[in-house]
Amino acid sequence: MADTNTTVSNDVAAAATAATPTQAPAASGRRVVFQSPHGASSTPEIDDMVMQAIARIADKWTMCVLEVLAQNGVLRFTRIGELVGGISQRMLTKTLRQLEDDGFVTRTVYPEVPPRVEYQLTELGSSLCAAFCSVWLWAEAHCSELRSIKASRRPTRAAKDGA
Amino acid sequence: MADTNTTVSNDVAAAATAATPTQAPAASGRRVVFQSPHGASSTPEIDDMVMQAIARIADKWTMCVLEVLAQNGVLRFTRIGELVGGISQRMLTKTLRQLEDDGFVTRTVYPEVPPRVEYQLTELGSSLCAAFCSVWLWAEAHCSELRSIKASRRPTRAAKDGA
DNA sequence: CAGAATCCCTGCGGATACTG
DNA sequence: CAGTATCCGCAGGGATTCTG
């Protein structure tokens, strides 16, 4: 799947740099346009969808839940919490609801007692996980670099604005 | 998307489900393990790196800056702000500093007056952009689905906890 | 021009208690 | 079991002001 776009090294930057994107002059609020490796430039709409997807993914728990579901297929509420580890019920509920609304997971309620609810990735959710797979490959490939960078990160910079 | 995760069009979920990941029983704080498409399972370290990378990317501005830099190659501070659009100097500075510390961009100061600082993606930064390319492809491929889902999102759910 | 410093407000997210 | 409801701390991030 990494070979979806021929050689995944940095042809994106290359293609994007070569092309002349429709860069709006900072008028209607960040109109960034990315470039697909196969030549076609993405529309602002797609660009926005990507941003939304990424923003959603990165809310600290979504990715973990997605991973857990990708691994185990179908899971109950509590089980997901266990597998993820350290997540509060509040956040687990919110995350799952969000995922459900976004069409990434299905929620099936069994009218039993005690109640039983099962979650499972949709096709869309699975495909998203697959899409993010290349990021894993990237991390793998640049593992040593990342490690050394993280190690040599000057501590003075870290406690700048945040602290 | 019925019930099988075996035919889920992506090998990630399939491979991950097949393998038996080292899932810590919610002890040392979420030990999620992802599965690479080529069979090798990622280590918790790589997994963590991915999480960090994604978390960083999604901080609302990083991705935009990354895109802009990927498109234009080398840019000055103010120019980046213009191209991104709507970002405050404070956030732009923070974002660029973070990106620099992470080894994704280089920062070159020219001792002139008025001062001039140029930013540019490193190899690592470019490769990260390339890695995220598949997410764009995903958004492209599932564009119509995402659109309809976004449209049919029940408004009652949206104004739950957040509002 | 490229930032650093300060103020302040919003919302994420943890902890806890209650319910069907 | 699978949530919902409430309180609350704290970091993210915008607006503004000052400086080398």
Side-chain angles (χ1 to χ4, degrees):
Chain A
M1 82 176 30
D3 52 315
T4 309
N5 42 39
T6 58
T7 54
V8 189
S9 49
N10 55 5
D11 43 27
V12 171
T17 309
T20 310
T22 47
Q23 49 187 42
S28 56
R30 65 173 176 78
R31 285 285 91 173
V32 274
V33 176
F34 216 79
Q35 188 89 3
S36 301
H38 55 266
S41 63
S42 77
T43 68
E45 183 191 12
I46 292 179
D47 206 81
D48 201 54
M49 284 178 177
V50 174
M51 297 303 297
Q52 285 182 30
I54 293 177
R56 182 120 312 144
I57 284 305
D59 67 351
K60 186 179 184 181
W61 292 119
T62 303
M63 201 63 187
C64 300
V65 171
L66 240 36
E67 273 194 80
V68 164
L69 283 172
Q71 288 171 23
N72 306 66
V74 46
L75 291 171
R76 301 178 56 175
F77 182 85
T78 305
R79 184 59 182 153
I80 296 175
E82 292 174 359
L83 291 174
V84 170
I87 187 173
S88 59
Q89 313 87 317
R90 176 177 137 79
M91 277 303 107
L92 184 53
T93 302
K94 278 192 65 176
T95 303
L96 286 170
R97 284 292 191 283
Q98 185 67 69
L99 249 23
E100 188 192 358
D101 284 358
D102 287 353
F104 295 144
V105 305
T106 58
R107 178 170 178 271
T108 313
V109 183
Y110 295 90
E112 307 173 357
V113 45
R116 196 174 108 191
V117 181
E118 290 187 344
Y119 293 90
Q120 167 174 219
L121 285 184
T122 62
E123 275 289 332
L124 194 62
S126 291
S127 64
L128 179 60
C129 288
F132 268 97
C133 179
S134 62
V135 183
W136 259 265
L137 293 177
W138 169 84
E140 249 177 70
H142 302 270
C143 187
S144 55
E145 301 180 52
L146 292 170
R147 205 178 351 235
S148 57
I149 288 173
K150 217 165 71 172
S152 63
R153 193 151 9 188
R154 45 188 137 192
T156 52
R157 188 64 64 77
K160 209 45 183 313
D161 179 276
Chain B
M1 64 95 155
D3 51 358
T4 71
N5 59 3
T6 52
T7 58
V8 279
S9 76
N10 70 81
D11 37 35
V12 174
T17 310
T20 310
T22 47
Q23 50 186 41
S28 55
R30 64 174 177 77
R31 286 284 93 173
V32 274
V33 175
F34 216 80
Q35 190 88 4
S36 302
H38 54 265
S41 63
S42 79
T43 67
E45 183 191 12
I46 292 180
D47 207 81
D48 202 52
M49 284 177 176
V50 175
M51 297 304 296
Q52 285 183 31
I54 293 178
R56 184 121 312 143
I57 286 303
D59 66 354
K60 186 179 186 182
W61 291 119
T62 303
M63 202 62 188
C64 299
V65 172
L66 239 36
E67 274 193 80
V68 164
L69 283 173
Q71 288 171 23
N72 305 67
V74 47
L75 291 171
R76 300 178 57 176
F77 184 84
T78 305
R79 185 61 182 150
I80 297 176
E82 292 173 359
L83 290 173
V84 169
I87 187 174
S88 60
Q89 312 87 318
R90 176 176 140 77
M91 275 304 107
L92 183 53
T93 302
K94 277 191 65 177
T95 303
L96 286 171
R97 284 292 190 285
Q98 184 67 69
L99 248 22
E100 188 193 358
D101 285 357
D102 287 353
F104 294 144
V105 306
T106 58
R107 178 172 179 269
T108 312
V109 182
Y110 295 90
E112 307 172 358
V113 45
R116 196 174 109 193
V117 181
E118 291 187 343
Y119 293 91
Q120 166 174 219
L121 284 184
T122 63
E123 275 289 329
L124 194 62
S126 292
S127 64
L128 180 59
C129 288
F132 268 97
C133 178
S134 62
V135 183
W136 260 265
L137 293 177
W138 169 84
E140 247 177 70
H142 301 271
C143 186
S144 54
E145 299 179 53
L146 291 171
R147 204 176 353 234
S148 58
I149 287 173
K150 219 165 69 170
S152 65
R153 194 152 5 192
R154 46 190 137 187
T156 51
R157 185 67 63 77
K160 210 45 182 310
D161 178 276

